[in-house]
Amino acid sequence: MNRLTAVVSLLLVAVFVLAACAPAPAPEPTPMPEPTAIPEPTPEPAPEVLDIVDTAVADGRFTTLVAAVQAAELVDTLKGEGPFTVFAPTDDAFAALPEGTLESLLLPENKQTLTDILLYHVVAGKVMAADVVGLDSATTALGADVNIKVDMGNVYINDAQVIITDIETSNGIIHVIDTVILPPTEEAVEAPGNIVEIAVADERFSTLVAAVVAADLAETLSGEGPFTVFAPTNDAFAALPAGTLDSLLLPENKQALTNILLYHVVSGNVLAADVVGLDSATTALGQDFTISIRDGKVFLNDTIEVIITDIEAANGVIHVIDAVLLPAN
């Protein structure tokens, strides 16, 4: 019995030893946390595109231009719908003007001159650099053209070089130039000559010019005036009775010729719109002629028709008539 007990005890010891040496049961796996969703980045709002004026204000290179636009009261215009193309001079460009020029332009009494200069830098429409290089000229908001040329890869507006191109704005485009461009000081069209100069240049009045010279009235009719001249054509003089013109051109008949010519002259600048409202007009001779309208046509002394009106002269106006006016006596 003791032997059996010993065997059982040995077996129990062996079981406990084996149990102690057995590996520990594997722990239950810890569940992985659900992955946290990475938030999408918030897109940056697109920068606001400013209009031409606000773009110039925000750019430190155009403070003088902005001051000039304000002085000329063009801010609202250049903030308008447009589109506009502006050739914008830098502050350095304005500083390069002759001394005192800018200060003078900013004076209230020179506002119109300043406005003209600024409008000479503006072109209607959105003209990109790629379009500019294909042009020879462009008409500005002033109405005067600027010349455009490409030289050695550089673009010039008149004498100003384009140094930066295609600055986008909400109402147009800005190209930066290095010089202030100045509009022409005189219109391309020459001012008209005085009454005598116009008559001399028009072959229809060669007989009238000869008569004016013979009567020594050229200097008078070249004077300040203003004068309104009802000018007979060569055909009108040719319709006088035979020998009349030749007689009038004789020195002894100078006073008679002078009287006839003065009977064609009225003091003042009397345009056609004024003539049709008159019944008569007093001439430089002191005698009147009558004015009447029939079938939309204007007649002097009932029978002499006004066939061309409102030839502008520097010292008055010329109306052309189809016959010679003859004063009383």
Side-chain angles (χ1 to χ4, degrees), residues 9 54 68 77 83 86 88 101 103 176 256 266 284 293 317:
S9 297
D54 289 341
T77 300
V86 175
T101 301
E103 291 78 5
V176 184
V266 172
I293 301 174
V317 65

Side-chain angles (χ1 to χ4, degrees), residues 192-212:
N194 62 43
I195 287 170
V196 173
E197 290 170 338
I198 289 175
V200 168
D202 191 324
E203 60 184 18
R204 294 172 298 178
F205 303 122
S206 58
T207 306
L208 175 61
V209 170
V212 167

Side-chain angles (χ1 to χ4, degrees), residues 263 278-281 288-295 297-306 321-326:
Y263 192 55
L278 301 175
D279 296 323
S280 64
D288 291 0
F289 57 69
T290 63
I291 300 171
S292 57
I293 301 174
R294 298 194 303 273
D295 298 326
K297 298 177 180 179
V298 178
F299 293 88
L300 309 182
N301 286 347
D302 292 329
T303 59
I304 298 174
E305 184 180 349
V306 178
I321 55 179
D322 67 351
V324 176
L325 284 164
L326 296 175

Side-chain angles (χ1 to χ4, degrees), residues 21 43 133 135 159 172 194 209 249-250 257 259 275 312 329:
C21 294
V133 296
L135 301 175
D159 294 325
N194 62 43
V209 170
L249 292 174
L250 295 173
L257 177 62
N259 291 347
V275 172
E312 294 280 353
N329 302 323

